[in-house]
Amino acid sequence: MHIICTTLNAKYIHTNLAIRYLKAYAQPEFDVELVEYTIKDPVLNIVTDLYRRKPDVIGFSCYIWNIEQTIEVIQLLKKVHPTVTIVVGGPEVSYDVAYWLERVPEFDYIVIGEGEETFKQLLTALERGEDVANIAGIAYHQNGKAVINPQRNKINLANMPSPFRFPEDIPHLSKRVTYVETSRGCPFSCQFCLSSIEVGVRYFDREKIKEDLRYLMKHGAKVIKFVDRTFNISRSYAMDMFQFLIDEHVPGVVFQFEITADIMRPEVIQFLNEQAPPGLFRFEIGVQSTNDEVNKLVMRKQNFEKLTRTVTMVKQGGKIAQHLDLIAGLPEEDYTSFRKTFNDVFALRPEELQLGFLKMLRGTGLRHKANEYGYVFMDRAPYEILRNNVLSFDDIIRLKQVEDVLEKYWNDHRMDETIEYIVTHLFDTPFDFFQSFGTYWDEQGWARIGHQLEDLFRRLYSFLQTIDTDDLPIVEALMKYDYLRNQKQKPRKPWWDEKTDKHMRTYVYEQLMKEPHLLSLTEKELFKHTVVEMIPFDLPHYLQTKHIRHCNMAMIVYFNQTTMKAETYFLEVDTN
């Protein structure tokens, strides 16, 4: 019996942990072939590839991001290979099972919930031609009627085999994200999240996890992401794993964790700030809302003061990048309340701030209470909300505009000094900048076309010209600084029109030649590998103090051909 486990990942760099657990658990009785695609692959290409492999059974791992394309693949596959047995599982099909059986008759079996043992029992029954009626945790059609068997008891995770020891995975470890789980379940009850449905937290064998991590690092894994819903729920467990990773990591590997920030003790952060190498760890923190009443409605416990302490301490340590999440559209959080949430969190200046929109996931408590809050949402995945009783679709559109420019201008770190000055000096709050610029961006039609790096600078400058400010020369200088310092080579055509005349450039070069301690280059190298721009204030003083001292300053950016990095120098110029 030829068995394939497959999925459609959101991106090529992602890997699917679930199908690897299914393969590991099915061994040695069954040899499962793993095949992965992406949601961007043409459906017919996927169908053709699967058909050519001549499978008897195909298991699909289903999520909100791939379910619709997965259904298309299955329906076409059944047309060309009607005898293939289709098994689906995963969080998207584990709830409203009767709905899925009715909507997609091509589903032969649905595996509900934790699937390793259920899938193996199903394969055994199919191979032997036995009745599946006594297999817990499956759903199927029988004589035109839906049969939904009760879910099975949870697996003992301590006995789970490793999902990482497959030779075919080794060539891809350095190029893709490797997902690891050390626990299943979540101690919290957030009503918008599927993790709240499973009560309690269960742990895998700690020493086996460490052996897996050693194996992955030895064979080239570069990005290892822990998918535990709250990695630090057990302080002793987290500390042991942090210490292990600090002691045994391979240089160049990055470990990512989802943590609950308000329960992290200061002494843990101090330990990480002192002991962790820079760049080894990355934290993802779900904030969602800073409105206490909103959090109560979704049964979310959060102490924002303690969360702020954690994020601030980590940031001050300078070693761990942080990604913070917000959710727009939670119950009773209107546009004004969300504006405050955004500003509360942006004040922490996380390296990344993601603005997401509430998704009414099947099986969640909030979906069951959708009518109570007037939710209108997409009928099919990803079930994103369109409006509710306090947030109109117009509000949603406006927040989407914020999301668009936030991603491009804050999270991508193309112009950090520029954006910091703008949100601090030109607008009442950071949210007001992102909203004003996002609306302008949308009105210009830029959301519908692509962009080069230079376009991002030109478009921001175009927007700034529409607001009433005397600070435009300062912002322009900061934009030039941000643009040039992030280049590897002298740009052929920068985003701005050249304003520094040749006589001034020649004068600056002459001054540099007289002061070789500042920048020791030949005249030819100066002209070939540097850019000179005149700016109206002392930029080095500003970068150090955040105060503006007006003067005539030459900014000289040298593009070092050895290091392939930009080096910035400044020279105060007397133009009299």
Side-chain angles (χ1 to χ4, degrees):
M1 188 166 68
H2 184 192
I3 306 154
I4 291 176
C5 277
T6 187
T7 194
L8 281 63
N9 293 318
K11 296 180 181 179
Y12 168 75
I13 61 168
H14 297 171
T15 51
N16 185 276
L17 181 59
I19 61 174
R20 286 167 172 77
Y21 269 117
L22 294 174
K23 176 181 174 72
Y25 202 88
Q27 293 177 337
E29 291 82 356
F30 300 99
D31 183 19
V32 175
E33 181 183 4
L34 300 181
V35 189
E36 291 177 275
Y37 307 97
T38 77
I39 56 176
K40 293 183 179 179
D41 293 333
V43 167
L44 189 57
N45 289 11
I46 298 173
V47 171
T48 300
D49 186 62
L50 288 171
Y51 174 81
R52 285 175 173 169
R53 294 172 188 270
K54 302 299 179 188
D56 300 297
V57 178
I58 307 181
F60 288 86
S61 190
C62 302
Y63 307 84
I64 59 169
W65 65 79
N66 72 9
I67 184 62
E68 296 303 326
Q69 292 97 321
T70 299
I71 290 171
E72 289 184 58
V73 168
I74 290 170
Q75 290 175 333
L76 281 183
L77 199 56
K78 277 288 194 176
K79 288 179 182 291
V80 297
H81 189 2
T83 60
V84 68
T85 298
I86 299 294
V87 185
V88 296
E92 177 53 14
V93 294
S94 286
Y95 305 94
D96 297 343
V97 177
Y99 162 83
W100 288 116
L101 287 173
E102 181 180 356
R103 182 186 162 191
V104 193
E106 291 84 0
F107 290 172
D108 292 306
Y109 299 97
I110 297 177
V111 172
I112 305 166
E114 212 165 36
E116 290 89 352
E117 190 172 350
T118 300
F119 186 63
K120 186 172 185 177
Q121 288 187 6
L122 178 59
L123 292 178
T124 301
L126 293 174
E127 184 175 59
R128 296 175 181 174
E130 296 175 349
D131 190 0
V132 299
N134 293 323
I135 299 177
I138 63 167
Y140 55 96
H141 290 103
Q142 188 174 60
N143 300 323
K145 293 184 178 181
V147 178
I148 304 174
N149 291 351
Q151 281 189 247
R152 67 173 60 251
N153 294 330
K154 300 298 181 183
I155 292 175
N156 182 351
L157 298 182
N159 298 329
M160 288 285 281
S162 170
F164 302 113
R165 305 305 176 102
F166 308 128
E168 61 267 34
D169 278 339
I170 292 176
H172 307 289
L173 286 175
S174 65
K175 306 166 193 171
R176 305 174 77 178
V177 178
T178 301
Y179 295 92
V180 174
E181 59 178 351
T182 70
S183 65
R184 289 182 182 175
C186 181
F188 303 111
S189 303
C190 306
Q191 293 299 286
F192 52 81
C193 180
L194 281 175
S195 298
S196 66
I197 297 172
E198 183 177 342
V199 178
V201 179
R202 298 171 295 139
Y203 286 91
F204 288 78
D205 182 273
R206 194 180 310 190
E207 295 309 312
K208 287 183 180 178
I209 293 291
K210 290 178 180 178
E211 283 301 315
D212 280 339
L213 291 169
R214 291 186 184 105
Y215 173 89
L216 290 168
M217 289 188 287
K218 178 182 177 182
H219 288 90
K222 297 299 182 187
V223 179
I224 297 176
K225 183 171 181 177
F226 291 82
V227 297
D228 305 64
R229 302 310 299 166
T230 303
F231 185 81
N232 61 315
I233 189 63
S234 167
R235 184 174 51 157
S236 61
Y237 186 89
M239 283 292 287
D240 180 61
M241 291 302 294
F242 286 144
Q243 186 70 67
F244 165 75
L245 297 172
I246 290 169
D247 290 342
E248 299 198 28
H249 75 276
V250 172
V253 180
V254 177
F255 297 95
Q256 301 181 16
F257 310 90
E258 292 187 31
I259 69 161
T260 300
D262 58 349
I263 65 170
M264 183 168 268
R265 303 283 298 174
E267 55 265 31
V268 175
I269 306 169
Q270 186 175 349
F271 163 78
L272 293 174
N273 286 344
E274 292 173 355
Q275 301 296 324
L280 180 64
F281 297 145
R282 171 185 166 89
F283 288 166
E284 297 185 13
I285 300 169
V287 183
Q288 323 313 6
S289 174
T290 62
N291 185 318
D292 290 338
E293 294 306 311
V294 169
N295 284 327
K296 286 179 184 176
L297 290 174
V298 292
M299 299 175 64
R300 179 175 177 77
K301 296 178 180 179
Q302 180 170 271
N303 185 319
F304 187 64
E305 183 179 344
K306 290 183 178 179
L307 184 149
T308 297
R309 179 189 66 190
T310 293
V311 172
T312 302
M313 284 186 66
V314 171
K315 190 171 183 67
Q316 289 171 344
K319 293 182 175 181
I320 301 171
Q322 298 178 97
H323 170 112
L324 273 56
D325 289 325
L326 303 178
I327 296 180
L330 292 174
E332 304 301 334
E333 177 132 76
D334 60 13
Y335 180 86
T336 302
S337 172
F338 187 80
R339 175 179 178 268
K340 181 180 183 302
T341 282
F342 183 98
N343 286 323
D344 288 343
V345 178
F346 194 86
L348 303 177
R349 298 300 193 268
E351 283 75 15
E352 290 182 9
L353 177 59
Q354 181 174 326
L355 197 174
F357 292 81
L358 179 64
K359 295 170 177 61
M360 305 296 281
L361 303 179
R362 294 180 182 277
T364 58
L366 198 52
R367 180 162 175 141
H368 293 309
K369 291 185 175 182
N371 291 337
E372 183 177 333
Y373 300 108
Y375 278 111
V376 176
F377 55 94
M378 299 175 182
D379 292 331
R380 295 192 175 177
Y383 314 116
E384 193 168 288
I385 70 157
L386 304 173
R387 59 181 170 86
N388 63 21
N389 60 346
V390 298
L391 202 66
S392 68
F393 188 54
D394 284 322
D395 294 330
I396 295 286
I397 292 172
R398 294 173 70 195
L399 293 175
K400 290 278 187 182
Q401 295 167 345
V402 173
E403 176 198 27
D404 194 10
V405 293
L406 177 71
E407 192 65 32
K408 293 179 175 69
Y409 286 87
W410 179 258
N411 291 342
D412 284 348
H413 295 286
R414 293 179 170 111
M415 46 187 95
D416 287 348
E417 292 296 340
T418 302
I419 301 303
E420 183 61 43
Y421 187 90
I422 291 172
V423 301
T424 304
H425 297 282
L426 303 190
F427 288 83
D428 290 340
T429 74
F431 180 88
D432 296 330
F433 160 67
F434 288 108
Q435 182 65 86
S436 297
F437 184 30
T439 300
Y440 180 82
W441 181 283
D442 199 17
E443 289 171 346
Q444 302 305 308
W446 294 334
R448 297 185 293 276
I449 60 176
H451 56 265
Q452 302 289 334
L453 175 64
E454 289 76 14
D455 294 326
L456 294 175
F457 283 83
R458 290 190 192 100
R459 291 170 185 176
L460 176 60
Y461 190 73
S462 173
F463 165 68
L464 293 172
Q465 288 177 305
T466 68
I467 67 175
D468 183 19
T469 177
D470 295 328
D471 288 354
L472 190 57
I474 294 173
V475 178
E476 182 180 8
L478 289 170
M479 291 175 69
K480 291 177 180 179
Y481 170 71
D482 278 332
Y483 175 78
L484 291 170
R485 71 192 176 105
N486 289 315
Q487 301 291 317
K488 293 181 179 180
Q489 297 189 11
K490 182 177 179 178
R492 293 181 179 178
K493 185 171 176 55
W495 61 267
W496 64 90
D497 295 328
E498 293 287 348
K499 295 178 182 177
T500 305
D501 63 51
K502 291 182 180 179
H503 296 296
M504 180 56 71
R505 275 203 297 270
T506 301
Y507 171 76
V508 171
Y509 287 145
E510 289 173 350
Q511 297 304 307
L512 288 173
M513 297 295 287
K514 294 176 182 177
E515 301 184 48
H517 65 278
L518 183 64
L519 180 59
S520 180
L521 295 174
T522 66
E523 185 176 354
K524 181 179 179 181
E525 288 173 324
L526 277 172
F527 278 90
K528 187 175 182 180
H529 297 303
T530 65
V531 170
V532 173
E533 281 295 321
M534 298 304 299
I535 58 177
F537 66 104
D538 186 339
L539 184 49
H541 176 75
Y542 169 78
L543 295 176
Q544 188 172 10
T545 67
K546 297 305 177 186
H547 294 298
I548 297 293
R549 184 179 76 85
H550 292 282
C551 66
N552 293 311
M553 180 76 66
M555 176 172 65
I556 305 101
V557 183
Y558 166 54
F559 298 93
N560 191 313
Q561 300 304 290
T562 302
T563 63
M564 298 304 290
K565 292 182 178 180
E567 300 172 8
T568 310
Y569 303 90
F570 298 92
L571 186 67
E572 191 167 344
V573 176
D574 184 1
T575 58
N576 295 325

